[in-house]
Amino acid sequence: MVELAVSAVSAALSLVVEVLSFLEREPNPQKHLSGDVQIIRNWLRTLQAYLKHIDGKESDDILKDLVSKHRITKYVEGVFHHVEHRNALRKMSSDVQHIKRRMDGITILDRLVRFISLEEGSGSGAQVELCHVTPKEDDMVGFEGHKETLMKHLVLDSRSGLKHIWVVGIGGSGKTILVKKVYESKKVLKKYDCHAWIHVSHSCKINEVLRSMLKQLCKVRKQSDLLELDEGEVRDKLKKDLQRRRYLLALDDVWGEDDWNSIVHALPQGSGGSKIIVTSRNHILAKSCVDLLWTEVISPDSPDTLTVGPSDFYILQIKGLEWKKAWSLFCRKAFPSNGGCCPRELEEWSQKIVKKCEGLPLAIAAVGSLLSNKRRIPNEWKKLHDSLGSEIDSDSSLANISRILLPSYKDLSINLKNCFLYFSIFPEDYSIALERLILLWIAEGFIEERGGKTPEDVAEDYLNELIGRNLVEVSKFDIDGRVRFCQVQNLITAFIILKSKEENFGQSTFRIRFKQFN
């Protein structure tokens, strides 16, 4: 059923793109009609992005909606099939309105738009940016210092060379909200000749990303002009048009070195201090890309190599909110009718709930919003505290946390997934010694031998990668800076337990035995 829907949406989308191209060539353009057709195109692109993420897990409701989509896309094809006959334009306006009314009747639309916009790492760049949510000002609590730092790099930095800025943090840490607010600042935008915001994502298509960059940075207005260019021509035009311009490019949610490399090397040095700002969940990826550019500085292999120096890199690590900021955000979300003040009888359980969120802004805001609709009775709040783990697998606002963590999990190799899921056997807030964890991983058969490395060395590499991806955190270092103890955050533990159950990795009885043993 999904395959049929994908084919139908793709066929209808191609036809709608042709229609827009035809309308642009019209001597007497009908702006209202063109705008309505663009809404249908965006709707179809959103469906296309969503269908890529169903991944075989379809409920009965989704199947019913897929059938509805299939019927609508067939109707779209029927309406637009004879568009090149001008007398068809007279009837098209009413038909387009009919399509929009039928779109409104599909119940899954609200869910899929929320899903795509909240799940970092979904869809390709050109598709996802259509439904990306604009950050709220009140979600910026605790980011004042980070915002000031980024503003300095983007506004006050007067160096003439191209600068690369990485903002790294776990999904839900607020890095995209932070960068988006800085990027949209008038003080920032007026410093650059052109700018572009690109959501790259885990499953991006580089050709689509480059076309979106060309459209935003070089002001290519006609879709037909973009479609006529192949990838090589897109790259050539980007380099030519931007060579003497000061540009600002934001690459949101970068996952792989190859994707980053393909995008960056489609760009020239620019003039007057162009900037590329990247958000990612992976600190190791950020350092790897910085090292790659530094290697190119030392040993350039082609005239297209970007010229950068050691002062042209900056990595900003986003950590959890400090207690005061976390508490302030929670109270604003949980008690909006009480002026953001927590009633005394709820303070104990409110503070325990905030501590469980461990400074993660998305989790704090979600929990606070959820509690704002509950009765203000201590026992009710205690129940939520005790069931926070199960709440991320429900239809509540906390389910967004699971959706945001899912792409990070999917990006792991099989061996890394096993090592990550293994944390499900440990109790909440449990800090485990590195040596003991490594022995357990090796005993379970999770570690693959690599040439020249012992299993212990490979296991430590695995742990460092999970730490670099912000999925595991260090709780204690040795004197020489080596990891000694590590653990995972409470909500990540809840996510791990959820995935372990889904994949039959382990049972809760193992956790009970482990707790009794310790």
Side-chain angles (χ1 to χ4, degrees), residues 265 291-303 305-306 308:
H265 283 80
D291 290 344
L292 182 63
L293 278 177
W294 180 238
T295 301
E296 290 179 351
V297 175
I298 298 172
S299 179
D301 296 321
S302 73
T305 296
L306 297 168
V308 290

Side-chain angles (χ1 to χ4, degrees), residues 185-408:
S185 167
K186 291 181 180 179
K187 288 183 180 180
V188 170
L189 294 182
K190 72 180 183 181
K191 288 286 185 178
Y192 299 89
D193 300 320
C194 53
H195 52 88
W197 177 278
I198 306 293
H199 188 86
V200 181
S201 86
H202 184 274
S203 56
C204 73
K205 295 179 181 178
I206 292 300
N207 191 33
E208 289 184 11
V209 169
L210 295 179
R211 288 175 189 274
S212 185
M213 288 165 51
L214 184 62
K215 184 176 182 179
Q216 295 182 58
L217 291 170
C218 304
K219 305 300 182 185
V220 178
R221 297 186 182 279
K222 292 185 178 181
Q223 186 73 15
S224 56
D225 292 344
L226 282 174
L227 293 174
E228 290 173 1
L229 302 175
D230 61 29
E231 185 175 329
E233 291 171 326
V234 170
R235 290 175 178 274
D236 290 342
K237 186 166 178 58
L238 278 169
K239 288 186 176 180
K240 181 180 178 182
D241 289 6
L242 298 177
Q243 187 61 52
R244 299 186 179 279
R245 303 177 74 190
R246 190 182 194 205
Y247 62 85
L248 171 63
L249 174 63
L251 301 175
D252 181 38
D253 200 28
V254 173
W255 287 80
E257 186 177 301
D258 290 342
D259 292 338
W260 173 86
N261 205 28
S262 295
I263 295 169
V264 168
H265 283 80
L267 297 165
Q269 175 75 9
S271 65
S274 296
K275 305 288 192 303
I276 299 175
I277 184 166
V278 184
T279 71
S280 177
R281 304 180 181 205
N282 194 338
H283 192 265
I284 292 176
L285 172 65
K287 292 197 291 186
S288 175
C289 290
V290 167
D291 290 344
L292 182 63
L293 278 177
W294 180 238
T295 301
E296 290 179 351
V297 175
I298 298 172
S299 179
D301 296 321
S302 73
D304 290 331
T305 296
L306 297 168
T307 305
V308 290
S311 61
D312 295 319
F313 311 119
Y314 183 76
I315 300 176
L316 174 62
Q317 179 83 36
I318 303 295
K319 301 289 187 180
L321 298 177
E322 61 180 32
W323 172 257
K324 187 177 179 180
K325 301 293 185 182
W327 178 248
S328 174
L329 175 59
F330 172 81
C331 290
R332 280 220 317 274
K333 293 291 185 178
F335 312 109
S337 62
N338 199 36
C341 295
C342 177
R344 183 171 297 177
E345 67 272 16
L346 297 176
E347 278 187 5
E348 179 185 358
W349 287 107
S350 293
Q351 290 178 6
K352 288 182 178 180
I353 289 169
V354 174
K355 286 176 182 176
K356 264 205 167 186
C357 295
E358 295 178 311
L360 199 63
L362 176 135
I364 296 167
V367 172
S369 298
L370 182 64
L371 285 169
S372 67
N373 297 315
K374 288 189 176 292
R375 292 183 299 167
R376 295 183 178 181
I377 301 173
N379 192 47
E380 288 284 325
W381 293 51
K382 177 183 182 299
K383 286 180 182 177
L384 183 101
H385 170 272
D386 296 342
S387 65
L388 270 180
S390 60
E391 284 288 337
I392 72 169
D393 190 28
S394 68
D395 291 328
S396 75
S397 57
L398 294 185
N400 296 330
I401 298 169
S402 179
R403 294 187 185 120
I404 282 182
L405 291 173
L406 187 60
S408 294

Side-chain angles (χ1 to χ4, degrees), residues 20-66:
L20 284 173
S21 177
F22 170 75
L23 291 175
E24 287 174 352
R25 298 194 302 269
E26 272 290 285
N28 299 308
Q30 301 184 36
K31 293 184 179 179
H32 178 72
L33 178 58
S34 179
D36 286 342
V37 175
Q38 286 177 358
I39 289 173
I40 295 173
R41 178 199 63 184
N42 294 353
W43 180 82
L44 289 170
R45 284 184 171 181
T46 302
L47 286 180
Q48 192 178 58
Y50 175 75
L51 290 170
K52 291 180 181 179
H53 290 80
I54 289 181
D55 201 23
K57 298 177 182 178
E58 307 156 23
S59 68
D60 291 339
D61 289 339
I62 290 178
L63 286 172
K64 290 175 184 176
D65 284 320
L66 288 176

Side-chain angles (χ1 to χ4, degrees), residues 447-462:
I447 307 303
E448 270 189 355
E449 290 189 20
R450 295 176 184 170
K453 283 195 171 185
T454 65
E456 289 79 7
D457 289 338
V458 175
E460 190 166 351
D461 287 345
Y462 282 1

